[in-house]
Structures are given as C-alpha cells and as structure tokens.
Amino acid sequence: MKVLSVGQIGWDVTTINNKVNKNYGGSVLHFCLAAALMGMKTDMLCYVNKKEWENLINEFQQIGIGTNHIIDFEHTIRFNMYYDKELRFCEEKFSMDIRDSEPHIYENIPYMDQYDLYNICETIPEQDFKTLQIITDSNKDAVIAMQFHIDNLLRDKELYCSLLDKIDYIFMNYEEARFLSECNTLEETIDFLKKRIKNIAFITSHTKNYAVKS
C-alpha cells in the first residue's frame, strides 16, 4: 500500500503544569512513523526549514518514509500545547499564522494520483476541509483517512460531523469520539458512528483499542 500523508510537521512544545518539553511532532509525522513500522510506503507532503531538520529528514529516509515532497520553508511550525496538572488539554497556540503565513502545499495534490490512501492530518479545520476537497476533486476514487483531534473538534465540531460520510477511515481517541457524538458511553458512541461513516473508525484509549465497522 502506498500512502500520501498531508499536513504539518514541526516542534511539539508541550507545557504541563509549567513544565516544558520539546519534541518533533505533528500528526502527519506520527502517522508516517507508524505506517513505516507496519511496512507501508508512505510519503509526506508538508513543509519545514530543511536546514534545521536536515538530520531528522535523513533519519526519516532511513526508515522508509518518503521525503521528496517536503517543501523547504524559512520557518518550522511550533505546536505549543498546554495541559493542566491532571493532563487535561487547555489550549494550543501556533508559532506562526498558518492561515496566511504558511506556504501553499495544496497545489501539488492534483498531480499525486498514484496513492492507495490519502491521510489528512492538518492543523486547523479549514485545512482539513480544503485538503479533502482538493483530493476528492482531483481523484474521485480516492480513499481518504483523517485524524480527528480534540483541539480541532473544539474549534469546529459541526464541520467534522458533516465530513463523517465523506471519509473512509477515521482515527480518534475515546474522549474525542464521545465529544463528537455527544454520547455518554462507548456503545452509544459506536452506534452514532456506525450510522454515519463510510467504512471504519478507529477509536483508541489508554488501555484498549477499538475498531468500529459500519
């Protein structure tokens, strides 16, 4: 299986009860790392400052992640995430205005029709929607996966509800699924998703994994 993963990679700067930790991150990279471990051919369509990330990009190549579509840009985005001492998500701030300042990566998508799966893991809801629209407009038979994150669901839950029947594979954790469905139990959440999704939603928790098939 050949996968194109579209989104941003950057620095995850996590602050928990005033303690700061910095790692490379971004869902597009995390997805590619998992896919590479499962033996899938995965390419990233994203942007970073290539000089700053040169060693990391070489490491990605060594484990089989395609980096030819990484666009060189003067800035690498920082995802500044804040949690309270109980590890509850508080807010996320970006190091740049991703609506206006980031480079345009989407114009490359219509020329990338050779993939079996398109994974969308963007930073804000508008980007998720735009990427999905461009992929489906250029490839009517495209198989789509998308990751639903709590920070984006908090920004625009109605948008993600409207996208449920347009996506083949959905990834989210149990708390995100409950927030999306407004259900109180896992069983009710599963029933909600089975009525709306085209194929499969993967719901994870800290202790168990769930796969829900419609």
Side-chain angles (χ1 to χ4, degrees):
M1 175 177 284
K2 192 173 182 182
V3 180
L4 178 68
S5 199
V6 185
Q8 280 78 32
I9 60 177
W11 297 114
D12 275 346
V13 184
T14 306
T15 302
I16 301 175
N17 198 26
N18 296 323
K19 183 178 180 180
V20 179
N21 187 40
K22 178 180 175 181
N23 297 285
Y24 60 74
S27 295
V28 63
L29 176 56
H30 297 157
F31 180 92
C32 288
L33 290 170
L37 289 173
M38 292 186 287
M40 288 189 286
K41 170 61 178 173
T42 307
D43 294 335
M44 289 190 288
L45 174 58
C46 55
Y47 64 87
V48 293
N49 182 312
K50 283 190 173 182
K51 183 177 180 180
E52 178 187 4
W53 277 55
E54 182 178 5
N55 292 336
L56 288 171
I57 291 173
N58 290 336
E59 290 181 12
F60 302 154
Q61 292 171 342
Q62 291 171 14
I63 62 174
I65 297 175
T67 59
N68 290 335
H69 302 314
I70 294 180
I71 297 169
D72 189 21
F73 189 58
E74 59 182 328
H75 301 296
T76 297
I77 192 169
R78 290 167 58 105
F79 305 96
N80 300 293
M81 296 170 291
Y82 299 88
Y83 296 82
D84 63 19
K85 60 184 178 181
E86 278 79 35
L87 299 182
R88 292 175 299 196
F89 175 79
C90 298
E91 65 175 328
E92 180 178 24
K93 296 181 180 179
F94 310 123
S95 60
M96 55 187 284
D97 187 343
I98 56 178
R99 291 179 176 86
D100 299 323
S101 304
E102 69 173 0
H104 297 289
I105 65 173
Y106 308 105
E107 60 190 23
N108 299 294
I109 293 174
Y111 306 102
M112 299 178 176
D113 58 358
Q114 70 273 32
Y115 293 92
D116 302 302
L117 177 70
Y118 296 82
N119 179 59
I120 303 172
C121 35
E122 291 281 19
T123 307
I124 56 175
E126 298 97 313
Q127 291 177 322
D128 273 334
F129 179 76
K130 182 177 181 180
T131 302
L132 174 64
Q133 194 170 39
I134 292 174
I135 292 172
T136 53
D137 285 348
S138 59
N139 184 352
K140 302 297 183 184
D141 299 319
V143 179
I144 307 292
M146 184 179 287
Q147 293 167 255
F148 284 20
H149 292 297
I150 187 61
D151 47 333
N152 275 351
L153 290 174
L154 287 168
R155 291 184 179 106
D156 197 339
K157 181 168 68 172
E158 290 185 5
L159 172 65
Y160 289 98
C161 283
S162 72
L163 297 181
L164 284 172
D165 63 349
K166 299 175 175 62
I167 303 167
D168 298 282
Y169 299 95
I170 300 167
F171 299 91
M172 55 187 155
N173 64 37
Y174 179 35
E175 291 74 20
E176 290 161 344
R178 285 184 58 188
F179 179 77
L180 179 71
S181 66
E182 298 183 352
C183 295
N184 295 319
T185 66
L186 176 63
E187 290 75 16
E188 292 173 347
T189 301
I190 289 173
D191 288 340
F192 172 88
L193 292 171
K194 287 175 68 174
K195 294 175 182 177
R196 290 164 175 83
I197 61 176
K198 292 170 61 177
N199 205 329
I200 298 176
F202 294 94
I203 306 174
T204 64
S205 73
H206 294 298
T207 57
K208 297 179 181 179
N209 292 326
Y210 308 95
V212 185
K213 186 174 182 180
S214 61

Short mmCIF file of all heavy atoms in Angstrom, two decimals, residues 3 12 21 37 44 58 76-77 85 92 97 112 115 140 143 146 151-152 161 175 177 179-181 187 193 204 214:
data_model
loop_
_atom_site.label_atom_id
_atom_site.label_comp_id
_atom_site.label_asym_id
_atom_site.label_seq_id
_atom_site.Cartn_x
_atom_site.Cartn_y
_atom_site.Cartn_z
N VAL A 3 0.94 5.33 0.57
CA VAL A 3 0.15 6.33 1.29
C VAL A 3 0.79 7.71 1.15
O VAL A 3 2.01 7.85 1.26
CB VAL A 3 0.05 5.98 2.79
CG1 VAL A 3 -0.77 7.02 3.54
CG2 VAL A 3 -0.54 4.59 2.98
N ASP A 12 6.77 19.89 18.69
CA ASP A 12 5.75 19.81 19.72
C ASP A 12 6.34 20.38 21.01
O ASP A 12 7.24 19.78 21.60
CB ASP A 12 5.33 18.36 19.96
CG ASP A 12 4.26 17.90 19.00
OD1 ASP A 12 3.66 18.76 18.35
OD2 ASP A 12 4.02 16.68 18.90
N ASN A 21 8.38 20.58 27.60
CA ASN A 21 9.09 19.51 26.92
C ASN A 21 8.98 19.73 25.41
O ASN A 21 7.91 20.07 24.91
CB ASN A 21 8.49 18.15 27.29
CG ASN A 21 9.32 16.99 26.75
OD1 ASN A 21 10.55 17.04 26.77
ND2 ASN A 21 8.66 15.98 26.26
N LEU A 37 6.55 1.42 10.26
CA LEU A 37 6.77 0.25 11.11
C LEU A 37 5.93 -0.93 10.66
O LEU A 37 6.30 -2.10 10.87
CB LEU A 37 6.44 0.59 12.57
CG LEU A 37 7.42 1.53 13.28
CD1 LEU A 37 6.88 1.93 14.65
CD2 LEU A 37 8.79 0.88 13.42
N MET A 44 5.43 12.02 2.72
CA MET A 44 4.89 13.18 3.42
C MET A 44 4.81 14.38 2.49
O MET A 44 5.75 14.65 1.74
CB MET A 44 5.79 13.54 4.61
CG MET A 44 5.72 12.57 5.75
SD MET A 44 6.57 13.21 7.24
CE MET A 44 8.28 13.08 6.74
N ASN A 58 17.00 12.95 7.12
CA ASN A 58 17.83 11.79 6.77
C ASN A 58 17.40 10.55 7.55
O ASN A 58 17.36 9.44 7.00
CB ASN A 58 19.31 12.09 7.05
CG ASN A 58 19.89 13.10 6.08
OD1 ASN A 58 19.38 13.26 4.96
ND2 ASN A 58 20.94 13.79 6.49
N THR A 76 9.86 26.58 10.63
CA THR A 76 9.25 25.31 11.01
C THR A 76 8.21 25.62 12.08
O THR A 76 8.53 26.29 13.07
CB THR A 76 10.29 24.33 11.56
OG1 THR A 76 11.23 24.02 10.52
CG2 THR A 76 9.63 23.03 12.02
N ILE A 77 7.00 25.15 11.89
CA ILE A 77 5.94 25.50 12.82
C ILE A 77 6.18 24.86 14.19
O ILE A 77 6.72 23.76 14.30
CB ILE A 77 4.56 25.08 12.26
CG1 ILE A 77 3.43 25.70 13.08
CG2 ILE A 77 4.43 23.56 12.19
CD1 ILE A 77 2.07 25.54 12.45
N LYS A 85 -2.36 20.14 35.40
CA LYS A 85 -1.62 19.10 36.13
C LYS A 85 -2.33 17.75 36.09
O LYS A 85 -1.71 16.72 36.38
CB LYS A 85 -1.39 19.54 37.57
CG LYS A 85 -2.65 19.81 38.37
CD LYS A 85 -2.29 20.32 39.76
CE LYS A 85 -3.53 20.64 40.57
NZ LYS A 85 -3.17 21.16 41.92
N GLU A 92 -4.05 25.24 22.46
CA GLU A 92 -2.92 25.09 21.57
C GLU A 92 -2.69 26.41 20.84
O GLU A 92 -3.64 27.04 20.37
CB GLU A 92 -3.16 23.98 20.54
CG GLU A 92 -2.01 23.77 19.57
CD GLU A 92 -2.24 22.63 18.60
OE1 GLU A 92 -3.42 22.30 18.35
OE2 GLU A 92 -1.26 22.08 18.07
N ASP A 97 1.11 32.36 11.84
CA ASP A 97 -0.27 32.40 11.36
C ASP A 97 -0.39 31.44 10.19
O ASP A 97 -0.03 31.76 9.07
CB ASP A 97 -0.64 33.81 10.92
CG ASP A 97 -2.12 33.94 10.58
OD1 ASP A 97 -2.77 32.89 10.36
OD2 ASP A 97 -2.62 35.06 10.52
N MET A 112 -0.79 14.12 -7.66
CA MET A 112 -0.39 12.97 -6.86
C MET A 112 -1.54 11.96 -6.80
O MET A 112 -2.21 11.80 -5.79
CB MET A 112 0.00 13.42 -5.44
CG MET A 112 1.18 14.36 -5.43
SD MET A 112 1.60 14.94 -3.76
CE MET A 112 3.08 15.90 -4.10
N TYR A 115 -1.51 7.20 -5.34
CA TYR A 115 -1.52 6.64 -3.99
C TYR A 115 -2.78 5.83 -3.73
O TYR A 115 -3.86 6.12 -4.25
CB TYR A 115 -1.39 7.77 -2.97
CG TYR A 115 -0.04 8.44 -3.01
CD1 TYR A 115 0.17 9.57 -3.81
CD2 TYR A 115 1.04 7.94 -2.30
CE1 TYR A 115 1.42 10.18 -3.87
CE2 TYR A 115 2.29 8.54 -2.37
CZ TYR A 115 2.47 9.65 -3.15
OH TYR A 115 3.71 10.25 -3.23
N LYS A 140 -11.66 11.13 -7.95
CA LYS A 140 -13.00 10.74 -7.46
C LYS A 140 -12.98 9.43 -6.69
O LYS A 140 -13.86 9.16 -5.87
CB LYS A 140 -13.98 10.64 -8.63
CG LYS A 140 -14.14 11.91 -9.45
CD LYS A 140 -14.71 13.04 -8.62
CE LYS A 140 -14.92 14.30 -9.47
NZ LYS A 140 -15.41 15.44 -8.64
N VAL A 143 -9.24 7.04 -1.69
CA VAL A 143 -9.56 6.51 -0.37
C VAL A 143 -8.94 7.45 0.66
O VAL A 143 -7.74 7.73 0.63
CB VAL A 143 -9.01 5.08 -0.20
CG1 VAL A 143 -9.34 4.55 1.19
CG2 VAL A 143 -9.59 4.16 -1.28
N MET A 146 -8.63 10.32 7.87
CA MET A 146 -8.46 11.61 8.55
C MET A 146 -8.39 11.38 10.05
O MET A 146 -9.05 10.49 10.58
CB MET A 146 -9.62 12.56 8.22
CG MET A 146 -9.46 13.95 8.82
SD MET A 146 -10.83 15.10 8.40
CE MET A 146 -10.47 15.46 6.67
N ASP A 151 -8.42 19.35 19.68
CA ASP A 151 -8.30 20.80 19.51
C ASP A 151 -9.07 21.28 18.30
O ASP A 151 -9.71 22.33 18.32
CB ASP A 151 -6.83 21.22 19.44
CG ASP A 151 -6.01 20.37 18.50
OD1 ASP A 151 -6.36 19.21 18.30
OD2 ASP A 151 -5.01 20.88 17.97
N ASN A 152 -9.07 20.49 17.21
CA ASN A 152 -9.85 20.87 16.03
C ASN A 152 -11.34 20.65 16.24
O ASN A 152 -12.17 21.42 15.75
CB ASN A 152 -9.38 20.08 14.80
CG ASN A 152 -8.21 20.75 14.12
OD1 ASN A 152 -7.84 21.87 14.45
ND2 ASN A 152 -7.60 20.07 13.18
N CYS A 161 -18.56 16.68 11.93
CA CYS A 161 -19.77 15.85 11.80
C CYS A 161 -20.22 15.79 10.35
O CYS A 161 -20.64 14.73 9.86
CB CYS A 161 -20.88 16.41 12.69
SG CYS A 161 -20.71 16.05 14.44
N GLU A 175 -12.14 9.82 24.05
CA GLU A 175 -12.66 11.10 24.51
C GLU A 175 -13.09 11.97 23.33
O GLU A 175 -14.12 12.66 23.39
CB GLU A 175 -11.60 11.82 25.35
CG GLU A 175 -11.31 11.18 26.70
CD GLU A 175 -10.50 9.89 26.59
OE1 GLU A 175 -9.84 9.69 25.54
OE2 GLU A 175 -10.52 9.10 27.55
N ALA A 177 -14.09 10.85 20.40
CA ALA A 177 -15.29 10.23 19.82
C ALA A 177 -16.54 10.58 20.63
O ALA A 177 -17.60 10.87 20.07
CB ALA A 177 -15.12 8.71 19.75
N PHE A 179 -16.91 13.26 22.51
CA PHE A 179 -17.17 14.68 22.31
C PHE A 179 -17.87 14.92 20.98
O PHE A 179 -18.82 15.70 20.88
CB PHE A 179 -15.87 15.47 22.37
CG PHE A 179 -16.04 16.95 22.15
CD1 PHE A 179 -16.52 17.76 23.17
CD2 PHE A 179 -15.73 17.53 20.94
CE1 PHE A 179 -16.70 19.12 22.97
CE2 PHE A 179 -15.90 18.89 20.73
CZ PHE A 179 -16.38 19.69 21.75
N LEU A 180 -17.41 14.23 19.94
CA LEU A 180 -18.01 14.38 18.62
C LEU A 180 -19.46 13.90 18.61
O LEU A 180 -20.34 14.56 18.04
CB LEU A 180 -17.19 13.58 17.59
CG LEU A 180 -17.70 13.61 16.15
CD1 LEU A 180 -17.49 14.99 15.53
CD2 LEU A 180 -17.01 12.54 15.31
N SER A 181 -19.71 12.76 19.22
CA SER A 181 -21.05 12.15 19.17
C SER A 181 -22.00 12.70 20.22
O SER A 181 -23.22 12.50 20.11
CB SER A 181 -20.92 10.63 19.37
OG SER A 181 -20.45 10.34 20.68
N GLU A 187 -20.73 2.32 23.82
CA GLU A 187 -21.73 1.65 22.98
C GLU A 187 -22.56 2.67 22.19
O GLU A 187 -22.83 2.50 20.99
CB GLU A 187 -22.66 0.78 23.84
CG GLU A 187 -21.99 -0.46 24.43
CD GLU A 187 -21.06 -0.15 25.60
OE1 GLU A 187 -21.16 0.98 26.16
OE2 GLU A 187 -20.23 -1.00 25.93
N LEU A 193 -21.49 6.41 15.29
CA LEU A 193 -20.54 6.38 14.18
C LEU A 193 -20.96 5.39 13.10
O LEU A 193 -20.80 5.66 11.90
CB LEU A 193 -19.15 6.02 14.71
CG LEU A 193 -18.47 7.08 15.58
CD1 LEU A 193 -17.21 6.53 16.22
CD2 LEU A 193 -18.15 8.32 14.76
N THR A 204 -9.28 4.82 19.98
CA THR A 204 -8.28 4.31 20.91
C THR A 204 -8.52 4.85 22.31
O THR A 204 -9.18 5.87 22.50
CB THR A 204 -6.86 4.70 20.47
OG1 THR A 204 -6.74 6.13 20.51
CG2 THR A 204 -6.57 4.22 19.06
N SER A 214 -18.76 -0.03 10.04
CA SER A 214 -20.16 0.32 9.75
C SER A 214 -20.81 -0.77 8.91
O SER A 214 -20.12 -1.60 8.31
CB SER A 214 -20.20 1.64 8.98
OG SER A 214 -19.52 1.54 7.77
#
